[in-house]
Amino acid sequence: MNSFEIGRELTAVTMGIDAFERGKARGQSLLDGEGLVPIYMGSDIIGPRIYEDWESCRADLTALDEAIEDLPEGARKVFLKDMVMSLQVATRLFSGLTPSFEEKVEVLVGAQKGREPESVIHAATSNLDRLLASSGFVTGTLKQRVHAWEEARAIPVEKIETVFRELMTEAKARTDRMIFDTGSYDMTLNPVRDTHYTARCGFNAGKMDLNLDIRFTRAALKHLVCHEVFPGHSTQLLYTRAEVDAGRAPADALLITANAVTGCVQEGIGDQGVHLIDFIEDADDMIHMELRRLRSASQTSAAWMLMVEGLPADQVADFLRNVAIGQEAWITGRLRMAAHPFRGPFISSYFAGNESVRRVRERVTAEQWPEFLVQLYGRANSPASLEMFPQTAN
């Protein structure tokens, strides 16, 4: 099989695993009906392989792995190998086996194991301290100053919808001009409460879920609009479908939302969204950028502390409270996610994905930028294959 043929087979197998997992009896599904691929744009192109047992899934993944060995060396081969290994771990989980948290982080997610380096947290803390002081928040501890800034900049609940629409309009205009013409696509705000996530892309329903148990500054809401919609998840979904329809991308580009190594890069695109459309406007945006970096690194470390080092949940919560300076609803959500047998390791996908996309974005030249956007948005990647850019990964 050539690369495109492998892409079609990989897509059918992946969606077959997705369908088989979704079909489990209530209470047996690890993902509660969400599926391995929460949003799939290719149901009219490639349907799922029909499976009746996990052994058949594993056999097809082994066959794919063998076929990939015959491809030439390069980023495309690296991605396909990473994706198959990721799916093999997912299949083991779905079938009732218990791979270690370390293996899930490294192979299922494609991130590095362990806590994030103290130097990362220290740098973000120092930058945050400096930026807050420059904005007039100088009284009290850093934690007190962050809370004072969040309180001072918090959007009243009754105004969230208005600010959301303003940010969506500007983010879409920048995305259409700088990344991809998203046409008439739009998304409405869907307030939710008592959930483990901060926000979520409801692409098919055209709704962005937003957890109103958390207070949001304009800068935080801007980040979420860019992460979930323009130029984040929704934009990437529209872009990949256009590339597959044009015959330029292999079918596995439709697997970008998979809870696998592709998801790591997807989260990186979302977290780099404000940079990709040059939407950093003021000091508040800079403060939020450092605060988000601090929290992203800290939540990765916290999940490792809880799930590998075995620290008590209340001690980990204190770490998130004092180091990440997180709001209580956010802390509760992070602990719930970390303890989940499948979703837990994906906490690391935010920091790992952001760093992967950032490193490549920062070294891409103006001449390489159009090709970079095609690779980033129009193809499926693992962190390892993306960082091989500018190699072609078709």
Side-chain angles (χ1 to χ4, degrees), residues 40 66 72-73 78 97 109 138 148 156 161 173 181 197 230 241 244 250 265 279-280 308 316 326 342 352 354 366 368:
Y40 179 55
E66 292 170 354
E73 298 300 321
V78 167
L97 300 178
V109 178
V138 295
E161 174 73 32
D181 185 352
Y197 57 82
F230 304 122
R241 176 59 196 245
V244 171
V265 174
F279 202 7
I280 298 175
V308 178
V316 178
F342 190 90
N354 179 75
Q368 292 172 328

Side-chain angles (χ1 to χ4, degrees), residues 121 298 301-302 305 314-325:
I121 292 175
S298 297
S301 295
M305 292 157 64
D314 57 352
Q315 186 174 336
V316 178
D318 281 341
F319 171 80
L320 291 173
R321 196 172 287 121
N322 297 317
V323 176
I325 318 177

Side-chain angles (χ1 to χ4, degrees), residues 148-300:
W149 174 78
E150 288 187 315
E151 186 65 31
R153 301 294 194 266
I155 306 168
V157 173
E158 67 272 15
K159 294 185 178 179
I160 287 281
E161 174 73 32
T162 299
V163 178
F164 170 79
R165 288 261 44 106
E166 292 171 353
L167 292 169
M168 283 280 287
T169 298
E170 180 62 22
K172 177 175 170 54
R174 288 171 179 259
T175 298
D176 289 352
R177 184 173 69 251
M178 302 172 69
I179 307 290
F180 177 74
D181 185 352
T182 58
S184 62
Y185 187 82
D186 190 23
M187 194 171 269
T188 60
L189 187 66
N190 182 42
V192 297
R193 292 186 181 275
D194 190 29
T195 182
H196 70 276
Y197 57 82
T198 302
R200 189 166 64 177
C201 172
F203 181 84
N204 294 329
K207 295 180 180 180
M208 190 185 100
D209 298 339
L210 187 70
N211 184 359
L212 292 189
D213 289 332
I214 299 172
R215 299 187 312 276
F216 296 100
T217 63
R218 182 180 184 276
L221 188 57
K222 177 195 291 186
H223 163 72
L224 292 172
V225 163
C226 290
H227 185 109
E228 306 295 341
V229 195
F230 304 122
H233 299 341
S234 294
T235 303
Q236 191 185 9
L237 282 159
L238 295 168
Y239 198 124
T240 51
R241 176 59 196 245
E243 287 292 291
V244 171
D245 284 347
R248 292 186 292 265
D252 54 81
L254 299 168
L255 301 176
I256 55 165
T257 70
N259 288 305
V261 293
T262 51
C264 195
V265 174
Q266 183 197 35
E267 299 299 351
I269 292 172
D271 272 3
Q272 284 284 299
V274 292
H275 299 279
L276 291 165
I277 58 172
D278 193 22
F279 202 7
I280 298 175
E281 302 172 290
D282 54 29
D284 283 346
D285 285 340
M286 296 297 294
I287 290 170
H288 180 263
M289 183 174 68
E290 291 299 337
L291 186 57
R292 179 170 50 81
R293 182 171 175 79
L294 173 63
R295 288 172 174 168
S296 183
S298 297
Q299 70 180 9
T300 299

Side-chain angles (χ1 to χ4, degrees), residues 18 21-22 29 31-39 196 200 259 343:
D18 173 270
E21 203 284 331
R22 285 177 191 261
S29 167
L31 293 175
D32 306 318
E34 180 183 278
L36 175 65
V37 186
I39 306 170
H196 70 276
R200 189 166 64 177
N259 288 305
R343 295 189 182 98

Side-chain angles (χ1 to χ4, degrees), residues 13 17 20 49-63 91:
V13 170
I17 295 170
F20 192 39
R49 182 73 47 80
I50 304 302
Y51 290 117
E52 296 182 356
D53 55 70
W54 292 114
E55 289 72 20
S56 299
C57 301
R58 284 191 279 268
D60 282 351
L61 288 171
T62 298
T91 301

